[in-house]
Amino acid sequence: MKRTKAILLHLCIFLTFSCRKFVTVSLPGTEVSETEIYSNDIAARSAILGIYGEMIGENGFASGNTRSASLLCALSADELDTRSAITAIREFRDNSLDPANSAIKDALWGEPYKCIYAANAFLIGIQKSDKVSPDVKKQLSGEALFARAFCYFYLVNLFGDVPYTTGIDYKQNRDLHRNHHSFVYDRIASDLRDARDNLSADYINNEPSNDNRVRPNKWAAIALLARVSLYMGKWADAEILSNSVIANTDQYSLESSLDEVFLIRSREAIWQLKPNTAGINTWEGKNLILTAGPSAGESNSCLLTADLINAFEQGDLRRRSWVDSVIGPDSTVYHYAHKYKIKNGDSPSEYSMVLRLAEQYLIRAEARARLGDTAGANEDLNKVRSRAGLPAINAPTTDALLAAILKERRMELFTEWGHRWLDLKRCGKAGAVLQPFKNTTRWQDTDTLYPIPRSELLLNQQLAQNPGY
Amino acid sequence: MRPRNKLLSLLLALVLPLGLWAQVKQGERPVTVRINNIKIRDLLSIIVDQTQLNPLYNSDQLDDQERVSVNFENEPLDNVLAFLLRKKGLTWKYHDDTYIVKFKKPGDPDPGRLPDAKPTIVTVLVTDEDDHPIPDAFIIAKPSGKTGQTDNNGIARLQVERNAELMVSSVGYATMPVMVNDNTVLKIKLKASMSNLDEVMVIAYGTSSRRNLTGAVSRITAADIAQQLVSNPLLAMQGRVPGLYINQLSGLPGGAINVELRGKNSIAAGNNPLYIVDGIPFPATALTLNNALPASAAISPLMGSNPLNMLNAANIESIEVLKDADATSIYGSRGANGVVLITTKKGQPGKMRVDADVYSGIGKTGHQLQFLNSAQYLEMRKEALQNDKIDPQNTDQDLAWGSSRYTNWEKVMLGGTAGITDAQVAVQGGVNSFLYRVAGGYRKETTVYPGNFNFNKASLQTNLVFTPNNRTEATLKIGYSNDRTYLPSIDLAAYTRTPPNAPESYSNGNLNWDGGSYDNPMSALLRPYKAYTEYLTMNLVLKYRIWKELQFETSMGFNNIFVDEKQPTPFHSLNPAAGYNTAEGGYTIFGNNRFRNWIIEPRFRYGHTFGKVKMTTLLGFTLQEDIRDQKGFFATKFPGGAAEQLENILAASNITGLGYDYYRYRYNALFLRANWNYRGKYILHITGRQDASSRFAPELPFAVFFSTGAAWIFSEESWMKPALPFLSFGKLRASYGTSGNDQIKDYAYIATRSPSNMYDGQWGQMPVKLTNNQYKWEKSQKFETALELGFLQDKLLFRAAYYRNRSTGQLVNEPLPLTTGASSVLNNFPATVQNTGWEFELNSNIIRKEKTSWNTFFNVSIPRNKLVSFPGIKNTSYNNTLSEGEPLDIIKGYQYWRIDPVSGVYTFTGTGNDDRTAIKRTSPLLYGGWQNNLELNNWRLDLLFQFVSQQRYNYLLTGQAPGMPFMNQPVDVMNRWRIHGDQAAFQQFTQGSGEAYKSFLLVQQSNKSITDASFIRLKSVNLSYKLPKKWIEKARLQSARFFIQGQNLFTITGYKGRDPEVAADHDVYPPLSVYTAGLHITL
């Protein structure tokens, strides 16, 4: 009996251990685990490409599609009007956002955090890997840092103080509180400096024969850092940084023809996102180009405001080259942005422009103006103006200069990346410009910040709503 | 041996000289005599002859006229005298050739030993009434309590007292008491049990009987299945099993089936019971590409065909449904939703026997709907335009068709006659050491659709049982089946709503698209769904009796299922106006689906009797692996769109992936069961299982499940019989225990990435989900108690059971703020789902005579399902569909008020769009069945009624709003609001705009969209006639039977749609009314 007991006991112990091993299944060849993705250079690269793919994908906040920052911020500002019947879109135009707005929740808030999660996961995962070659590791880490900084830049600008995390544990990330915007800016700047140190100066292409600029390089990090410095009021930094990009004439120069700025091989491009949806070139082209009157749906529902059209100076080539119009069935003329010329088509000739040299000139101009270098500022401003076929100006005072730069930014960067909305906000001019323009009593100064999505407040007690919502 | 001994002693007595004889001690001289009812005097004189010793006694000591029965064989004289004299207080003394009988004084020795106290070896052969040996029959000797069990030849050897009484029992037979009475060989014929109290029940890893069960197990048998004209054996259980609710989601052959055993336990994980066919787990979910596709892109009209359709119902011996913790806990983390054990037929011993069964018949839809005729349709359409104040547009082509044509599309699409043919043949037989059964089956069903759509199933199965010696047994099963499905790719029931005035379907032999204005329903006939299914299974069970009480057994087996699907869409079947590029030449969806699994379950079985307690224990181990691999492709750009080439994937110049699903699931467990049975009165049953599954992180502790069940058969109490003489059986049982549910996605705890977006010529990989390696199986705590009573020698059996199951740690997607990078993570959520219910059964053999019998079985189940708690439900998407305190199957909708007499549209109480306060329960409130079997001479009639009390979608509100273009409506809609003050059943017609259209969309999401869909249905009728013996003998048959059968012959219901069983929110092919005739012969 004793022996039987001993045998049974041993059997149980043996089975218990064999159990564990047996049910520990390896992943099938159809899935790759978070650790395996860092087992070689190509797989690790796919983790970074996924982030860009997400940004430019149909629902991406950076896509140029109907729920991207480019479109929604242009609606909040004075660039676009909409005929859409969809509340989630109209609320941006009316500056009367409901915290339950689905575009806020999914596109502007959810998507950046999704990309941040992917970047954080990459940065944590790649550190543990010794199988990715050092050069690739360095480059990809730089790209992840860049992507994270880019996402936080839009979050902090659209929402103000936002939760900042570099971790991936949901148990911590579900209870984050809002960090002060200056803290977030510091983190962005620090990430960008690290990215600058990691990224190569040349553009990396999957196929070296492709001379694409669809993955950020060192200069993309510097260019974004220049913008961040400007937003932070670090004028000297902004000037030095933008200066170094402008000085790199081997890689960058303003395209002399306005029709070539947004093309694949634009020499003005510092970073472009490569569209990945079959049948279209860019989302901007698909949505903004009108072939009839604006629709009441979501796509093709936006048109340029008369205010913007009227703001073009006489002879501005951008008015001719970047704006077009269509006559709707109601015989009304509708103007639309025509920076991207192709609406549909299988073989892409345009990529979605994120960072370009003209903005660097305008950054340097503004920094120089703030630093008192009026001559230098005017020079930069006129560089952009002359390309648009406009005569040089010579703004005598800093204030006049800043006003001219703000105006020039509007004319140069309209419907790109919400520049106008962010400019009005950071210059404190949002209320002054938008209240009369929107001709509504609804405008409140608190509208400069979008609301934190309602569902986030319900699920995370640490979060507080922005004022006014 | 015995005759030889007798002879020997006779020889000794005759041959040995007296001198030699005298050398044998007097008391040891052998006596051999076997005689009944002999006078002691005569017996003593026989003893004198054999021993040469004379007795000396007087009449006050011994009455020598007393009669006794004796059976001595070479018994020493001392023992013989002890038998005769000791109980009279006498003793004896030898003196030369005499022995003197005297009264025993204190201190005197007791010579000899009572012969009947000496154990003897008794050989018991247990057979059934046809002389087939019964293995594993249990024998208990009274009063000693010695036990034995028969081997595979029905033989047991027991050492018992000669006057012992043996109680011989075996599941399925009535227990029989037998006196040993000095016999050394006993042939015992057990009678099959009259009631089903003692029929064999297959339970987890073994068998039992209703009498001895401590848990809740229901069973249906081959005889029940044979009465049903169904392809899927699950459908044969409708209305027959308390606690098991089964409804078809489509009446198409092979269509999806909803199975709920004692309600839904899980909010988000699977609610399927565990299916086990001959010991091998069988997949519960469909192996069709429909799994990997969005609902809008379904590849077949079957809505997820049910995998059990691959089984041949005719090969099934029994289906046992295990319900409570006592019965299911041994299945561990897979048993929370109950277990369905399917056992296939094995060979019966005897001469070779051939059974052939064939039936053939027709099926029609039971209830055809009446739609508007052309005039009414046009009236509705024009009125709708008028109401909406819209002029007819050039897209309103249906108005231009006029009213001259009329087509009853209900009749065209569902008015055909389905054919059904089923043929089965089985050869079986064998000697005791080798039993075989080989069975083949073929079945073909066609549909009521126009066109030659059909479903075919062919199968072959072999069962072999080999018993080389009485220690060893090997059972081998090999089964193969092959199904071919050829159906339209969507359910044509949807086309019954085609406008009645639609133009000719064909012009000059081609589809008439009327300039592309409408979707010609006949085009759907050109877009078929073709599926080819192969199913191979093998199973081997080895048993070896190590010693009498310890048996080792192991079962091992595998399933291999392959489903090849194709959905070719030729170009000419598509509406040319849809802008389809003719150069693409049609398209085809290809699906390749494979499932295979294997299982090995070694186990030890130990049975022992300690005094009056019979104990059986089982210790086993499971290793299981399942692999599922499903791939879908979308192929287009076929040259010229030739329909013949659409199934050749190489002919397509553009092929894209359409879905991919792969998993490997591994599972193992250690399980233990112990059962104590004290004198058939008190039974205690304990099971435990420790298991691990690859669906959970390996760091987690093992899952441990246990159950305990107890039964008290109070009718066995001696005080009970006089107290309640009418009660022949009474049992009270209760069980409590746990089991688990692991029906979630595989690998969910591993952080993975999958191709998300192409970027710069390479697939980017984004994280698929947040990772949580802490979640565990859902845990169900099950309690059950039942009372079982038998009256009139168990002719009438009554059972009532109450259960309460609570599932906690619900595996749901826990909502998360988006700052985490995702909106949810799979986690155990502290939500609790409760299922309670009552189940009643009444089973009666009211009349059971030789040529007449009436057996009736009635059952009813009253289930209650409740979401007990769901903390924080408001923040989750479940808030749209669930509500605390309500069942899981509810519709949360707007509260309907009335049709506003002024505006003529549906109105609702409450305000706002989110005011979904009206709750309607759609799970059944009560269901059951009533089965009757009547026999009169050679006639037999079986009837099954099924009844369900439930609420389902209101058919009259499931379509589009009455008045919408190209959409016919049931005639009931003519009772609509027209002018101010109308009291009508329907609101005003609308063609798709305005307030009336909005309110129609709201009414579809209101409590008015749910209506009573209760029904009582004559589920099956089977009338058969057994040919008289003399005819049979002439035809050299063993038996022959003609029968006519009907399925779903009539339904009593207030439901307005085609069939209350498939009362969904869209048009569905209903279950058919089927009529067949057939023949069964045995050679």
Side-chain angles (χ1 to χ4, degrees), chain B residues 469-500:
Chain B
N469 56 49
N470 57 17
R471 279 176 179 272
T472 318
E473 183 186 281
T475 308
L476 177 70
K477 179 188 118 179
I478 303 171
Y480 172 79
S481 82
N482 175 330
D483 299 359
R484 278 168 199 273
T485 304
Y486 177 64
L487 289 173
S489 60
I490 63 163
D491 190 343
L492 301 185
Y495 286 105
T496 56
R497 292 184 178 261
T498 307

Side-chain angles (χ1 to χ4, degrees), chain B residues 846-854 934-937:
Chain B
I846 296 170
I847 303 169
R848 188 154 187 135
K849 292 179 184 159
E850 201 175 330
K851 292 198 160 175
T852 317
S853 75
W854 177 25
L934 291 128
E935 260 182 299
L936 183 62
N937 297 328

Side-chain angles (χ1 to χ4, degrees), chain B residues 177-198:
Chain B
V178 184
M179 296 299 294
V180 174
N181 275 345
D182 301 322
N183 295 306
T184 53
V185 173
L186 291 165
K187 284 189 177 174
I188 296 161
K189 274 190 187 181
L190 292 185
K191 279 190 174 173
S193 177
M194 288 281 278
S195 73
N196 66 3
L197 210 53
D198 292 297

Side-chain angles (χ1 to χ4, degrees), chain B residues 141-163:
Chain B
K142 284 180 178 174
S144 70
K146 278 252 166 66
T147 61
Q149 214 160 1
T150 57
D151 60 16
N152 292 318
N153 299 320
I155 292 169
R157 288 187 178 81
L158 252 79
Q159 202 177 39
V160 294
E161 292 81 24
R162 294 175 167 217
N163 57 352

